Structures are given as structure tokens and as C-alpha cells.
Amino acid sequence: MKKFPIGIQVYSVRKEASEDFAGTLSKIRDFGYDGVEFAGLYGNTPAEVRSLCEKYSLNPISAHVPYVDMLKDPAGVLAQYAEIGCRYVAVPYLTPEHRPGTPNFEFVVEFIGIIAKAAKKAGIQLLYHNHDFEFMKLGGKYALDILYETIPEDLLKTELDTCWVNVGGEDPSKYLLKYSGRAPVVHLKDFFGQKSENMYELIGIENKAPKRPDGFEFRPVGSGLQDMPSIVAAAEKAGSEWLVVEQDNPSMGLTPIECAKKSIDYLRSIGQ
């Protein structure tokens, strides 16, 4: 089995990062992570972030950057991540008015294509990070597949979030293989329970308290329902380059930083 470099989405430890960004990066490296993916810079300049990544020998793999921010100023926003050294930038999430099933979605696909071209000029590869709402069918096809069919592969590649693929009703390993050669970064996310109402309250999007009658929760990698060895094997077959751990909220009585350590410890235990 291929030994992948392992990264972590810093959003997973956002509380710690907001309080002590440098110290959090140091801990991430001490745990054995090889790289980081950003979702905000926690008040640091791109130059400062790049310097800290160099200091702690962490590869600044990629960043999640809001779609609307890139739409307003694609060249300016993307230049910041080019300065950090990010090879990838991902469209991380679509707010309800931009999602499949709305009149705006056709234009969203077009605009993502425009952003992708701007990213290419900045030396960055654009990715799309899915949730489960992209598994709505439009004309018999998943909206996610329509997105990838519409925008050429050289402009837009996938960052499949394996939890949301599963919640969306598909087998993460099989879906990853479907995009072989187009899936350089794979999100490893584990969970327990079934899809419930107000799912996105679990990732801090909504303001209301979540309703979780079925006990749905995100879990450290290897501690939930996902078949992680199968997903890692599929990532190897698909030609993926990075595995990135993401856990939107802590669970199992652990802090976010403890969850991050538990995830990397599990991955190392299976040969990663």
C-alpha cells in the first residue's frame, strides 16, 4: 500500500488555531502530520503563514476559500494563497441560494469555471469540496457530476469529502475511483449515525441548535462507520496525492486537538 502524506484541515482545530496559531501548527507537526489545509488565516498575513509553515516543515497544501470571496476578486484573493505556497484552492461550500435546485446553480457552475481560469493564471489548481446537497439529481444526473462534466478537468479537480459522499448515498471508495486521475486531495472524515435534520448546523453554518435524534456526530478517522482502509486503497488506485483529515466538531469526549492526534495515530496504525 502506498504511504500517503497526511494533512489536516486547520478548521478541525480552529479554536486552538484562533488562540495560538503558531503553537497549533507546532502540535500538528509533532503529531506527525505532513501538511495543512487552511480555512482562514487567523489574522496572519500570507507571508507570516508561509514562514510558519516553513518553520514547522508543514506543506501548505491547499485552502478553502469562500466562493463569493473568489467571485468578487478572484485574482486578488488567489494571489494570497499563491504567496503562501498553496498548490490547491477549493470551493468549500455553497450557501442555499447557490445550490443545485435553485435558479442560480447554472450560473454558479459558469462562475466556478471563471474562478478556475483565474486560479490557473495564479499557478493554483482549483478543487471543489462537496457536501451532500450536490447529490441532488438534475435531469437524471447528480449535480456534482454535472459540475465536473461542464468544467474541463484541467481547470477543476475534485476534493471528495468521503463523509458527505456517504451521507449523500454513495460508496466513498467507488465514487473516488469514478474520478481517478482527477482527485489529488481526498478528505478523510469519519462519522457515526444517520443523516438527520439540520445537518449543516453540525458544521457551524446555521444558528439554531442541531436536532440529532439519531446521534449523528463527526468522529476521529477510524472511530466511525467509514471503511477507511478501503477509502485509502481507492485513493491509491485513483492516483491521489494527499489525504487530508477533517473533523468539523469534536466528539467522544475529546478536544479538537485530541481528535486530530487520534486520527493521525489511526492512520499510522494502518500503514500511513
Side-chain angles (χ1 to χ4, degrees), residues 14 24 42 53 69 81 89 95 97 118 138 147 159 169 185 219 229 256:
R14 56 194 177 277
T24 301
Y42 301 93
C53 286
D69 290 354
Y81 295 95
V89 163
T95 50
E97 69 273 20
L138 303 173
L147 176 68
E159 182 178 57
V185 183
R219 287 195 174 179

Side-chain angles (χ1 to χ4, degrees), residues 117-173:
K117 290 177 181 177
K120 188 69 72 176
K121 288 182 180 178
I124 290 172
Q125 174 65 59
L126 191 70
L127 309 175
Y128 185 87
H129 169 267
N130 65 280
H131 289 76
D132 70 319
F133 51 76
E134 295 92 346
F135 288 90
M136 170 185 286
K137 286 196 171 180
L138 303 173
K141 293 183 179 180
Y142 287 135
L144 189 61
D145 294 328
I146 292 172
L147 176 68
Y148 292 130
E149 288 174 5
T150 305
I151 302 174
E153 181 176 339
D154 67 313
L155 292 178
L156 183 68
K157 297 188 186 295
T158 77
E159 182 178 57
L160 285 181
D161 184 299
T162 55
C163 166
W164 292 116
V165 172
N166 193 328
V167 171
E170 290 292 334
D171 181 306
S173 298

Side-chain angles (χ1 to χ4, degrees), residues 10-217:
V10 180
Y11 185 78
S12 306
V13 289
R14 56 194 177 277
K15 182 176 183 295
E16 290 89 343
S18 65
E19 294 172 352
D20 182 4
F21 186 65
T24 301
L25 292 185
S26 178
K27 286 181 181 178
I28 285 170
R29 183 60 203 174
D30 288 346
F31 291 164
Y33 284 98
D34 304 296
V36 283
E37 178 178 67
F38 298 104
L41 303 182
Y42 301 93
N44 297 279
T45 66
E48 288 169 338
V49 172
R50 183 180 187 119
S51 177
L52 286 170
C53 286
E54 291 172 352
K55 178 179 180 179
Y56 296 117
S57 300
L58 286 167
N59 189 313
I61 312 159
S62 51
H64 280 191
V65 183
Y67 161 75
V68 291
D69 290 354
M70 289 193 284
L71 190 60
K72 290 176 183 175
D73 182 16
V77 170
L78 290 163
Q80 298 178 54
Y81 295 95
E83 183 179 351
I84 291 170
C86 294
R87 184 177 174 188
Y88 302 102
V89 163
V91 176
Y93 182 79
L94 296 177
T95 50
E97 69 273 20
H98 294 133
R99 292 179 190 169
T102 70
N104 290 330
F105 184 65
E106 181 180 347
F107 300 103
V108 169
V109 173
E110 180 181 347
F111 292 142
I112 288 175
I114 292 170
I115 293 167
K117 290 177 181 177
K120 188 69 72 176
K121 288 182 180 178
I124 290 172
Q125 174 65 59
L126 191 70
L127 309 175
Y128 185 87
H129 169 267
N130 65 280
H131 289 76
D132 70 319
F133 51 76
E134 295 92 346
F135 288 90
M136 170 185 286
K137 286 196 171 180
L138 303 173
K141 293 183 179 180
Y142 287 135
L144 189 61
D145 294 328
I146 292 172
L147 176 68
Y148 292 130
E149 288 174 5
T150 305
I151 302 174
E153 181 176 339
D154 67 313
L155 292 178
L156 183 68
K157 297 188 186 295
T158 77
E159 182 178 57
L160 285 181
D161 184 299
T162 55
C163 166
W164 292 116
V165 172
N166 193 328
V167 171
E170 290 292 334
D171 181 306
S173 298
K174 291 180 181 178
Y175 212 77
L176 182 52
L177 290 173
K178 178 177 182 176
Y179 285 101
S180 292
R182 198 174 181 173
V185 183
V186 179
H187 262 201
L188 299 185
K189 184 184 293 182
D190 219 335
F191 70 96
F192 183 83
Q194 301 296 318
K195 182 174 180 177
S196 62
E197 288 186 64
N198 304 320
M199 289 292 289
Y200 295 101
E201 294 173 12
L202 299 176
I203 59 174
I205 298 299
E206 306 293 343
N207 293 321
K208 296 183 297 180
K211 298 176 183 177
R212 291 181 283 174
D214 52 9
F216 184 98
E217 64 182 15

